[in-house]
Amino acid sequence: MLTVDYAARRSIVEPARLRRFFGARSIAVVGASPSSSWARNLLNSLELGGGVKDVRFVHPKYDEVFGKPTVPTLRDLTEPVDMAYIMVGSNRVDGILADAAAAGIKNAVVLASGYGETGADGRDRQHRLARSAVEFDLTVMGPNTIGFINAVDGVAPWAVATETAPVAGPVGAVFESGSMARATYQFAQAHGVGSTLWASVGNSAVLTSLDVLDYLIEDDNTRAVALFLETVREPDRLFALGRKALEAGKPIVVYKAGRSEEGMRSAMAHTGAMATDDAVVDAAFRQAGMVRVESIEELVATAGVFGYSPRLPRGRRMGVVTSSGGGCNIIADLAAVNGLALPAWQQDTNARLAAHLPEFASVLNPLDTTGFGHARARPRPTKAEDDLMEIAVEDAGIDFMFSMMTPLPDERPADPAFIESRMGIIGEIVTAAPVPVFLSSNTCLDVSPYARSLLAQNDLFLLPGVDLAVTALGHVARWVEQRDALAAGTPDEADPPAAAPALAAGPAAGTWAEDEGRALLTAAGVPVVPARLVTSAAEAAAAAAEFGGPVAMKICSRAIAHKSDIGGVLLGVADADAAATAYGTILARVAREVPAADVRGVLVSPMREPGQELLVGVTVDATFGPVLAVGLGGVWVEVMKDTSLRVLPVDAREVRRMLADLKGAALLHGARGGRAADLDALSEAVVAISRAALSVGPGLDTLEVNPLRVNGDRVEALDVLVTTTAREDS
C-alpha cells in the first residue's frame, strides 16, 4: 500500500493554512459542463454567499460555460486563484492537481467519488491523491465532498442546492457525510442557528474532520463546534483536541453514526475506514470532554445553545415558568429523563409569585401562569410568563431558568410596537438575571427572518421546541460538570502514570497460567490475595495449615482458562487434611476433562470474608487500543450490563468517576447495611490493574481480574486471567 508522510500532510492542513483555504476570494471551477447540476448549485451558492467576486472556468472542450469564457487548463490562467474547485472524474484528478501546482494554486476541493469507499483500487487512488497533495504543497478537501460554507466571509463553494444566503453565527460544524451536512445545514438555517463554517470533508484524503476541528477551536468567531463523525481515525489526536477545546472554553458536540453493528458496517462501507465498538467510542468522547448526542436535531440544538449562551449553568437545578399547564407536565417528564432537578421555590419566591397569580393557582416548579394571566391588564407590554419569570430568576435555589415562548410572528405586524417592546423587555430580563435563562418555542417551528431579527436585536436565542430544548440543557449541564472535573485534573495529569515493567511474563500468545498473571499484578502494585503454588498433597496440606482456616484451591495451567468449568476449583476447604484430599480430587478431574493439559500445580489461598465483588478488565480495541472496563460483579455485569469504560491510561480520579457511573454504585457506599468501600483504595487498585495490562505491551489481548473484592479498606484481586496474542508490532 502507498504511504503518506503524515508530518508533511499536517503542515498543509494546520490552522494557519486553513484560514487561507476557507477564506478563498477567487475560485477556478474545473470541468463544469453546462448541463451539470453540481456546477449550477455551486454557482448559486457562491452568489448567495457574496464573498467570492472572482470566479473563473476551466474546461478543455467548451469555449464558455454559463456565459463565462473558459481556459483549457489551470496552467492557462493569467494569474493564480485562491482555490480550484475540481469537478472531473477520479481518473483525471491527479492531472488537475499537477496543473494547479504549476499554476501557483495552493487550495483545492475535489468533488469526485470513486476513492477509498470503493475498495482496494479506490484506496490506492486516494493514497496517490494524498501523496500528490503533499508533493505539490496543496491543501485538498475531499475527495467525495460537496465543499463548505464560510458564512462569516461569505465564501460558499458548496455544490448542493441552497435557497438562502448563509446566516452567520457562533457555531462551527464539520461533517463526514455530504448529504447529512446539507440536511443539517438547512435545519440549522431554518431554526436560527448561524454558523462560522459549515464543512463537509468527504473521504479526508488530506484534510480531515479533526483538522477542521483544530481550525475551529482556534477560530475567534467560533464559540461551539458541531461534529458529525462516521469513524474515528486518530484517537490520540481526538483526546488532544478535546483538551485544547476545554482550555479554550469551546464545547464540542458530536453525533457519531454507526451505533449498531449494521450502522458500523455501513459507515465502513461509506468511508473505507475502520469502525470501532460504540461503547468504547462513547467512553472516549466523555474522556475527551465532548458531548455526544443522539440525533442531528440534537446536534444543532445543543451546539446552538452552547454557541449563543454567554453564561452556562453551574448545576442541574432548573426553574421553569410557562403559560401552559400541559407544557409543565412535558417539561417535568423531560427533566427527569435528562437528569435535571426541579426544586420547589424558596419561601420568599413563593410569596412573590403567589401575589401575581389567582387564588386557585398552584405555585409549583414548573410554574403554570394559567389563563388568568392573559386576561389581566399589565402596566407594560409583557405577558404573564415574562413578569413571573423576572421574579423567579431571583430564586436562590435554582441554577438556571427555562421558559417556553408562544410562537413569534413570521412577518412584521402592521403595528409591531407590542412584540418589539416585549422582546426588548425579555432581553433585559435575561441580561439582568442572576442565573442563565434559556428560551424555547413550544414545538420545533422554523424561525422566520423577522423572528430571527427580533431575537438577534435583543441577544436572545430560541431553542427549537421543548423536547430538543430540555434535552440540550441536559447535555449542557453534563458538559459543565465534565469540564470542571477534567479541568480540576491531577498534578501528574499531563504525564499519565507509565506502565509498570513486566517483572514476570507469560507466553507470547495464548492464555497465561494464573500464577504468571498474579506475578504480573504484584509487580504492578495490585493487592492480591496470598497464594501458594503446590505440586503435591503434602505441600497442599502445609499451605492450608500455614494460612489457617478454610482455603480455596484452584488448578494452575496455561491450558485451562476457565477453571470452574472443569471442576478445577474447590472453595471452603476446611483444614490441612481436607486440602491434601482436595489436591488429589482436582488433579483427577483435570486429568479426566483435559488430559493433555500441562499442569503447573494447584494454587492454595485463604478464603476471604464476604464483600462487594467487582470485575475489572482490560481489552484491546482496534481503534483506541487498551480499554478499561469496571463493573460490579454478579448480576450487575451479566444481567444489568452495568459496566463503565475508559480508554487507557487513566488515573485514580477518573476511576472514581467510573465507579460513580455504575447503576449499582450505591452498593459501594454501604447500601442495604453493607460496609462502605474505601473508594480511594479501590481506585488505586484499579489503576494498578490498568498499569499491569499496559506493561504487557502490544501483545496484550485481555487482562481480567474477576473478582476484585472490596470490604471496607481491604481490596484484593482473587483471580486473574491474562491472554496475549502474537502481533506484528509486538
Side-chain angles (χ1 to χ4, degrees):
M1 181 181 288
L2 298 169
T3 59
V4 177
D5 183 339
Y6 282 96
R9 185 198 70 81
R10 290 287 292 275
S11 73
I12 57 176
V13 293
E14 62 184 359
R17 284 287 295 260
L18 294 188
R19 278 190 285 276
R20 296 191 289 275
F21 181 92
F22 294 123
R25 296 293 186 173
S26 58
I27 294 178
V29 183
V30 184
S33 66
S35 62
S36 169
S37 61
W38 294 110
R40 288 195 298 272
N41 291 334
L42 176 66
L43 296 181
N44 180 59
S45 298
L46 290 171
E47 184 176 350
L48 287 170
V52 178
K53 303 300 184 184
D54 183 3
V55 181
R56 318 217 192 143
F57 294 89
V58 177
H59 205 293
K61 294 182 180 179
Y62 299 105
D63 293 332
E64 68 171 46
V65 291
F66 302 103
K68 301 290 185 181
T70 68
V71 294
T73 73
L74 288 170
R75 299 171 190 258
D76 298 307
L77 294 171
T78 55
E79 59 185 9
V81 292
D82 295 332
M83 174 177 287
Y85 197 109
I86 301 172
M87 294 183 143
V88 302
S90 58
N91 61 323
R92 293 181 53 208
V93 169
D94 289 351
I96 304 296
L97 293 180
D99 289 347
I105 299 170
K106 292 296 185 182
N107 304 301
V109 175
V110 178
L111 176 68
S113 57
Y115 286 87
E117 78 280 8
T118 62
D121 289 344
R123 286 192 292 272
D124 284 344
R125 192 176 301 117
Q126 186 162 311
H127 278 288
R128 283 196 299 273
L129 186 154
R131 291 184 68 181
S132 295
V134 170
E135 178 185 348
F136 296 142
D137 192 34
L138 271 170
T139 303
V140 177
M141 173 180 273
N144 198 17
T145 180
I146 58 175
F148 66 89
I149 295 174
N150 172 355
V152 175
D153 296 323
V155 178
W158 183 253
V160 289
T162 186
E163 292 79 33
T164 58
V167 176
V171 175
V174 55
F175 283 71
E176 292 183 345
S177 164
S179 62
M180 297 313 300
R182 173 192 180 182
T184 309
Y185 174 74
Q186 291 176 320
F187 182 84
Q189 293 275 108
H191 293 88
V193 178
S195 61
T196 53
L197 177 75
W198 210 272
S200 168
V201 296
N203 284 19
S204 302
V206 179
L207 178 62
T208 71
S209 52
L210 295 189
D211 297 325
V212 181
L213 174 59
D214 196 6
Y215 161 81
L216 291 170
I217 293 170
E218 293 196 7
D219 177 51
D220 291 338
N221 295 309
T222 301
R223 295 185 56 192
V225 180
L227 190 59
F228 181 104
L229 295 180
E230 293 186 321
T231 56
V232 177
R233 302 168 195 256
E234 299 177 86
D236 291 343
R237 193 172 178 214
L238 181 79
F239 289 118
L241 290 175
R243 172 61 64 185
K244 184 175 180 178
L246 285 173
E247 291 171 352
K250 295 189 180 184
I252 299 171
V253 185
V254 187
Y255 178 82
K256 167 66 172 63
R259 275 194 177 276
S260 65
E261 289 186 17
E262 293 80 4
M264 283 189 277
R265 284 197 296 271
S266 177
M268 291 169 69
H270 187 203
T271 64
M274 180 177 291
T276 194
D277 183 84
D278 188 69
V280 177
V281 172
D282 217 39
F285 287 152
R286 172 181 289 203
Q287 283 176 267
M290 300 176 179
V291 174
R292 187 176 189 182
V293 295
E294 299 296 323
S295 70
I296 60 171
E297 292 84 3
E298 271 186 52
L299 181 68
V300 171
T302 306
V305 75
F306 275 125
Y308 281 94
S309 302
R311 294 183 293 165
L312 298 177
R314 302 295 302 183
R316 293 173 176 262
R317 300 173 302 171
M318 177 171 69
V320 178
V321 175
T322 178
S323 61
S324 168
C328 288
N329 298 335
I330 293 170
I331 293 167
D333 289 343
L334 290 168
V337 170
N338 289 283
L340 298 174
L342 293 165
W345 303 114
Q346 306 252 319
Q347 188 172 355
D348 59 334
T349 307
N350 203 82
R352 293 176 65 199
L353 292 171
H356 292 265
L357 291 166
E359 290 184 1
F360 62 80
S362 299
V363 186
L364 302 173
N365 182 21
L367 179 67
D368 173 16
T369 63
T370 76
F372 173 82
H374 297 300
R376 187 176 182 181
R378 321 198 74 75
R380 58 182 184 171
T382 57
K383 293 190 174 184
E385 59 263 34
D386 309 333
D387 297 335
L388 292 174
M389 180 176 71
E390 188 172 21
I391 294 169
V393 292
E394 302 284 343
D395 191 278
I398 64 171
D399 299 306
F400 65 99
M401 171 62 63
F402 173 66
S403 182
M404 277 194 316
M405 294 185 67
T406 50
L408 297 173
D410 288 338
E411 303 288 342
R412 192 169 192 255
D415 181 3
F418 177 82
I419 186 61
E420 293 183 1
S421 297
R422 181 194 175 207
M423 295 303 290
I425 291 170
I426 292 174
E428 292 169 0
I429 293 171
V430 170
T431 300
V435 295
V437 178
F438 302 97
L439 307 172
S440 86
S441 53
N442 292 338
T443 57
C444 195
L445 298 171
D446 289 0
V447 179
S448 70
Y450 175 64
R452 191 186 308 137
S453 70
L454 284 176
L455 295 165
Q457 289 164 13
N458 297 289
D459 294 324
L460 297 173
F461 174 66
L462 192 65
L463 279 154
V466 65
D467 195 335
L468 288 174
V470 179
T471 301
L473 293 174
H475 289 314
V476 168
R478 282 186 289 277
W479 182 83
V480 170
E481 292 171 350
Q482 210 169 305
R483 176 200 64 187
D484 294 346
L486 292 170
T490 56
D492 60 354
E493 196 167 31
D495 257 336
L503 302 183
T511 301
W512 293 24
E514 187 179 342
D515 65 323
E516 295 170 320
R518 289 170 56 86
L520 178 72
L521 295 182
T522 301
V526 180
V528 182
V529 67
R532 298 284 182 273
L533 182 64
V534 300
T535 57
S536 68
E539 288 180 1
E546 177 186 345
F547 289 128
V551 294
M553 298 178 64
K554 299 179 283 185
I555 194 66
C556 185
S557 170
R558 290 179 177 177
I560 304 172
H562 302 289
K563 299 178 280 290
S564 297
D565 293 351
I566 54 96
V569 178
L570 290 174
L571 303 177
V573 179
D575 52 28
D577 290 341
T581 302
Y583 179 87
T585 300
I586 289 173
L587 288 186
R589 290 175 177 175
V590 170
R592 182 175 64 251
E593 299 293 335
V594 194
D598 180 14
V599 174
R600 298 165 68 88
V602 173
L603 284 167
V604 182
S605 57
M607 294 290 294
R608 292 303 196 205
E609 69 281 1
Q612 185 59 54
E613 295 187 349
L614 288 87
L615 180 148
V616 181
V618 176
T619 55
V620 179
D621 180 79
T623 299
F624 288 97
V627 175
L628 172 68
V630 176
L632 296 178
V635 68
W636 293 96
V637 170
E638 295 170 7
V639 177
M640 301 297 292
K641 302 189 184 305
D642 187 20
T643 57
S644 181
L645 303 178
R646 295 294 187 275
V647 177
L648 291 180
V650 295
D651 58 19
R653 185 171 301 202
E654 189 62 34
V655 173
R656 284 288 294 263
R657 287 194 280 267
M658 294 178 72
L659 296 171
D661 289 345
L662 299 174
K663 300 183 186 78
L667 296 174
L668 297 173
H669 297 279
R672 300 185 65 84
R675 187 180 177 193
D678 182 335
L679 295 179
D680 289 334
L682 176 56
S683 299
E684 291 293 349
V686 174
V687 171
I689 291 169
S690 73
R691 267 200 311 269
L694 292 177
S695 75
V696 175
L700 176 69
D701 181 55
T702 302
L703 186 152
E704 182 180 292
V705 173
N706 185 19
L708 179 70
R709 180 170 293 172
V710 55
N711 190 329
D713 60 357
R714 173 178 273 186
V715 181
E716 288 179 311
L718 271 59
D719 202 346
V720 58
L721 172 67
V722 181
T723 61
T724 48
T725 186
R727 300 184 193 273
E728 291 180 3
D729 53 351
S730 61

